[in-house]
Amino acid sequence: MSEIREINDFNLPELDIYARLSESQLFHYYEPNGGIFIAESPNVIERALDAGCEPLSFLLERKHLTGKMGLLIERCSDIPVFTAESDVLSRLTGFPMTRGALCAMKRPKLRGIEEVCAQASRIAVLENVVNPTNIGAIFRSAAALNMDAVLLTPACSDPLYRRSVRVSMGTVFQIPWTYIKGADADWPQSGIQCLKDMGFKTAAMALSDQSVRIDNPDLMAEEKLAIILGTEGDGLSADTIADCDYTVRIPMAHGVDSLNVAAASAVAFWQLAKR
């Protein structure tokens, strides 16, 4: 049974992961054997547990010791549960806990690209998307709109940053994902070639005179398609666009030239996942 511990001392070493360590320090916590991430809100914590993530401790507003979180605590015997009123937790963490529940968990081991894409016919590839909010929103759209997997270039923000996980509503635990790394980390050349070797046609979402509309029949008919989205502001690199099989645009009105990458991803996934 989990031990319920009232917070009376902010300096407890066990609270460092919630109060004093940065996202980068959490990432490297057990280096070279992985790190920690923070799941926020009962629904997100439940999805992480359902995906097999290993919990280390809870930080809960006192009222969450019962109800849904009470049931989740019962699933996680023998880990400490730190609790206090909401104002105490906000002072401890430095941010308002709008859902009143955090859970520190071990980071799952990253899978290989071939494993993640083995059964996939529609995947999203994110090139240098650095905003955690955008990462979370893209994952939520990918899960909701029938993407089979998500791949990220090494410069992308971490999908397991607390904000990314929260914005995704825990869908980062429901859709397979990994980083393009190792022999395929030479993006775009080696990475795109890896996609092609797995049978994917590649579609660069970009403004170009050579672009096709997102509802192009040939594009939509591809058996396996990788939808590639670029960084905020600059979009995809010229080399990435040149190496892709298609350059694809979303038709715009009222003189608007483009959408935020998270909004564009939702439009692209909805249209191109039709099959």
Side-chain angles (χ1 to χ4, degrees), residues 64-126:
H64 286 296
L65 291 172
T66 58
K68 183 170 186 174
M69 277 307 307
L71 296 175
L72 296 179
I73 291 170
E74 290 179 6
R75 292 177 56 177
C76 307
S77 60
D78 300 325
I79 68 169
V81 179
F82 298 97
T83 187
E85 295 295 342
S86 61
D87 61 329
V88 175
L89 297 183
S90 294
R91 293 202 308 272
L92 173 69
T93 63
F95 58 87
M97 289 174 51
T98 54
R99 297 294 183 268
L102 300 177
C103 182
M105 296 183 163
K106 287 187 177 180
R107 297 180 66 91
K109 184 178 179 180
L110 281 177
R111 291 181 280 181
I113 295 174
E114 291 79 6
E115 179 185 353
V116 166
C117 297
Q119 304 300 320
S121 60
R122 291 292 186 272
I123 65 173
V125 182
L126 310 185

Side-chain angles (χ1 to χ4, degrees), residues 205-208 211 233 248-260 264:
M205 300 298 300
L207 299 173
S208 167
S211 63
V248 182
R249 71 180 184 278
I250 299 171
M252 298 286 162
H254 300 292
V256 177
D257 62 353
S258 63
L259 297 173
N260 165 274

